[in-house]
Amino acid sequence: MTLTRFIVVLTGLCVILALVLWLVSALQQLYWQVSWTAPFLGPVVVLLTLALLGALLVAFFRYVRPLDWPQDWRSLWQVTQRSITGQTPPTPPEPNPTVSEVKTEAAGAALEAVRAQVDLIRDRVARQALLDRSREIESSLARGELLLVVFGTGSAGKTSLVNALLGRVAGTIGPTMGTTEEGETYRLALPEIDRAVLITDTPGILEAGVAGTQRDRQARRLAAEADLLIFVVEGDLQQSELEPLQQLLAIGKRSLLAFNKTDRYPEADRTAILAKLRERLAEQLPTADIVPIAARPAAVRLPNGETLTPDPEIMPLIRRIVAVLRAEGEELIADNMLLQAQRLSDRARQLIDAQRRRQAEAVVDRYQWLGAGAVAVTPIPVVDLLATAAVNAQMILELGKVYGCNLSGDRAQELALSLAKTMTGLGIVKGAMGILTTALQVNIATAIISRAIQAVTAAYLTRIAGRSFIEYFRHDQDWGDGGISEVVKKQFQLEQRDQFVKRFVQQAIAKVVQPIAQETAPQPKPPDRTSPNS
């Protein structure tokens, strides 16, 4: 209670007490005077006066809220004490944020991280696409609209369901697959839902042809962006339908399953199919989330020859949608926004990783031939990676820079020697020489075979080392659970495939073998300028 309010209350109580004291004698005098002239008016005047006084008292006590007096008096006493002692009032504790608020903040943080990642992407088109998508997600987060997406196979009745929910024909319906070619979004009015609700009709999935594949991809993208997904089927789930539904459920997409066209089944079959659906999805969806409907019942011919089109039977689905949105609406929006932000962040990381991989592979490609050239200039009796450790160390330094890791020269040399010893210990040096000896013997002259094998093998081993270090830097300078040996063995297995070896040998012949052959070929003797004919 503030000081001003306290003074008003105290003044009001004093006035009321004075009025009460005056009223006792005033009413008595008034009653006798009125009764003397008109006896029947005396009680009426007294009652009216009491009613007026009662109304004033009610108004006063509603203002001062007597039920809050204990708390108000305590508040006034605390304010008085603080004013005397000079203490500052304590800051009231902030309420704990709700789960949806925490998720919304996490989504905002993820979008900020995406914008930071975008600066690392060189492709202007990809960079702009990520920025545009981040703004769309941010805008949706600010609007707080609930998005329902109707998803399913071609002509399962998705558009019919949307039309029934809207109460009007909003899309084209037909018996053929592929009627809905693009996603269409409408505003949907639902009872007891305060937020704006949008509903999107998607193209059918699992359609044939190039156009069908494109529509399938678009439908799945729209489904992944839904706050609440309505998966429409017209019978028991086929395996091809079950897989996309399970994928969406696996990423946490809140879903309802609408068993449509139930009017086409006898009662026993309808009951059996519904039971089968609930049994197959028992671990993914509650029983209440699998709802039988008839969005566009078939016309019925009456005995008099007239045709009657029954009303859609979708009220169970509407009730379930409303129940889910009322109970989980805030959480659904927060979950979806966080999911979209994380997916966008994953996409940014994929683009950055692909960009870095291209740069790293260009570094490895350059250094593998530098290593080959070093060995070709100074042949050694036995191929030994230690002889090319300096080249590999410089390659490691450049790979580290590509992935944002600044290594010292000593650390790079240490890593190069460690990898060289690992490859030698695993027998990869001997295995690489055997593979390349067989491949080169049928392509080059015997005179230079030994020198060429050494140089090409050095290039091959440098390539394996480089690609192993790409994996090392991609995983934040971690060789993984299997250690360095497992990574090196995996890269050697990939690089010894016939198709790759053939392509590598062709490049090696052009970059290493032919220069060696030209260097070792006998040079023609200059003409004798002392002869008479010269």
Side-chain angles (χ1 to χ4, degrees):
M1 181 185 293
T2 63
L3 184 59
T4 302
R5 187 179 180 87
F6 173 72
I7 293 172
V8 171
V9 171
L10 185 60
T11 304
L13 289 173
C14 293
V15 170
I16 291 173
L17 182 60
L19 286 173
V20 169
L21 294 175
W22 168 82
L23 190 62
V24 173
S25 62
L27 282 176
Q28 186 177 8
Q29 293 177 5
L30 178 64
Y31 177 77
W32 288 113
Q33 289 175 359
V34 174
S35 299
W36 183 259
T37 58
F40 66 91
L41 288 179
V44 173
V45 172
V46 172
L47 288 175
L48 288 175
T49 305
L50 291 175
L52 178 61
L53 180 61
L56 291 174
L57 288 173
V58 169
F60 174 75
F61 282 107
R62 288 192 62 180
Y63 172 75
V64 300
R65 290 187 317 229
L67 292 178
D68 292 340
W69 281 14
Q71 179 64 35
D72 288 344
W73 283 112
R74 282 194 296 270
S75 299
L76 180 61
W77 174 248
Q78 292 171 358
V79 170
T80 304
Q81 282 186 319
R82 285 196 294 269
S83 63
I84 295 172
T85 60
Q87 296 177 350
T88 57
T91 303
E94 296 184 359
N96 293 327
T98 63
V99 175
S100 61
E101 290 174 342
V102 171
K103 292 178 180 178
T104 301
E105 291 179 2
L111 292 175
E112 287 296 330
V114 168
R115 281 188 278 271
Q117 291 172 314
V118 163
D119 294 335
L120 302 175
I121 299 174
R122 295 182 177 180
D123 187 332
R124 288 185 297 177
V125 175
R127 185 168 62 242
Q128 189 60 46
L130 286 173
L131 285 173
D132 291 344
R133 180 60 184 148
S134 70
R135 294 190 187 103
E136 289 177 6
I137 295 173
E138 205 165 39
S139 177
S140 297
L141 190 62
R143 289 196 305 269
E145 296 170 330
L146 284 159
L147 177 61
L148 278 59
V149 173
V150 182
F151 181 72
T153 57
S155 294
K158 303 183 304 299
T159 302
S160 297
L161 175 56
V162 172
N163 290 342
L165 289 170
L166 295 174
R168 58 186 174 87
V169 177
T172 304
I173 55 178
T176 58
M177 297 180 68
T179 302
T180 303
E181 298 182 357
E182 295 182 358
E184 297 289 345
T185 300
Y186 312 93
R187 287 197 172 273
L188 176 64
L190 288 175
E192 303 179 23
I193 302 298
D194 296 331
R195 287 184 177 272
V197 180
L198 305 178
I199 185 166
T200 297
D201 183 15
T202 62
I205 61 173
L206 307 175
E207 296 178 9
V210 176
T213 301
Q214 292 175 347
R215 289 195 293 268
D216 186 292
R217 188 179 300 114
Q218 184 193 22
R220 292 174 191 246
R221 177 183 61 80
L222 292 170
E225 296 173 3
D227 294 317
L228 178 62
L229 182 71
I230 303 174
F231 193 97
V232 184
V233 296
E234 55 181 329
D236 192 11
L237 274 171
Q238 303 296 321
Q239 185 61 32
S240 56
E241 295 175 295
L242 182 60
E243 289 177 359
L245 176 59
Q246 289 180 330
Q247 290 172 1
L248 291 165
L249 291 171
I251 64 173
K253 191 57 57 182
R254 185 68 170 89
S255 304
L256 304 178
L257 187 137
F259 169 29
N260 194 19
K261 304 182 181 179
T262 54
D263 59 301
R264 302 186 182 183
Y265 295 93
E267 179 66 26
D269 293 346
R270 182 165 62 247
T271 302
I273 293 173
L274 184 60
K276 185 66 175 178
L277 289 171
R278 288 172 173 169
E279 178 185 353
R280 295 186 67 180
L281 297 171
E283 296 182 1
Q284 291 91 8
L285 288 177
T287 299
D289 288 345
I290 302 175
V291 186
I293 63 169
R296 188 173 174 241
V300 178
R301 184 174 295 276
L302 300 176
N304 61 5
E306 295 181 359
T307 300
L308 174 65
T309 302
D311 292 333
E313 298 175 9
I314 59 170
M315 281 308 300
L317 180 61
I318 292 176
R319 285 194 292 268
R320 188 56 187 161
I321 292 173
V322 170
V324 170
L325 295 185
R326 288 187 62 191
E328 309 172 33
E330 299 293 331
E331 292 297 311
L332 291 179
I333 293 175
D335 284 339
N336 189 34
M337 290 300 101
L338 181 57
L339 174 62
Q340 299 309 318
Q342 290 173 341
R343 285 165 61 89
L344 191 64
S345 180
D346 291 342
R347 176 58 180 160
R349 282 196 294 269
Q350 291 171 1
L351 289 172
I352 293 171
D353 183 63
Q355 174 182 290
R356 285 173 168 171
R357 180 176 282 278
R358 289 192 297 270
Q359 293 175 268
E361 288 179 348
V363 170
V364 173
D365 186 70
R366 184 170 77 253
Y367 274 95
Q368 70 185 9
W369 304 122
L370 286 175
V375 173
V377 171
T378 309
I380 52 180
V382 179
V383 175
D384 188 352
L385 278 180
L386 298 178
T388 59
V391 174
N392 288 347
Q394 188 61 35
M395 176 182 68
I396 292 169
L397 284 174
E398 288 200 30
L399 289 176
K401 290 179 180 178
V402 169
Y403 284 93
C405 305
N406 293 320
L407 303 176
S408 64
D410 292 341
R411 177 57 178 163
Q413 188 75 21
E414 178 186 340
L415 289 170
L417 292 174
S418 175
L419 187 66
K421 293 177 182 178
T422 300
M423 294 175 70
T424 303
L426 292 173
I428 291 178
V429 174
K430 183 177 179 180
M433 182 172 288
I435 293 171
L436 295 173
T437 298
T438 302
L440 289 171
Q441 281 178 341
V442 298
N443 289 282
I444 61 177
T446 306
I448 62 170
I449 186 67
S450 176
R451 186 176 172 186
I453 287 174
Q454 293 176 32
V456 174
T457 302
Y460 187 81
L461 295 174
T462 298
R463 179 179 180 84
I464 294 174
R467 293 184 70 87
S468 298
F469 274 106
I470 288 176
E471 295 303 310
Y472 173 73
F473 288 117
R474 282 186 68 231
H475 296 90
D476 298 325
Q477 302 182 65
D478 186 1
W479 289 111
D481 296 336
I484 185 173
S485 299
E486 195 66 32
V487 175
V488 171
K489 285 192 291 186
K490 180 180 179 181
Q491 293 303 319
F492 181 55
Q493 291 171 357
L494 293 173
E495 301 297 333
Q496 65 179 327
R497 292 171 299 178
D498 290 343
Q499 184 177 3
F500 167 76
V501 171
K502 290 178 181 178
R503 186 169 65 252
F504 180 82
V505 168
Q506 292 173 355
Q507 293 176 346
I509 291 172
K511 293 179 179 290
V512 179
V513 177
Q514 290 179 357
I516 293 177
Q518 292 174 1
E519 180 185 340
T520 57
Q523 301 295 324
K525 294 182 179 181
D528 187 0
R529 297 184 181 275
T530 61
S531 63
N533 297 329
S534 60

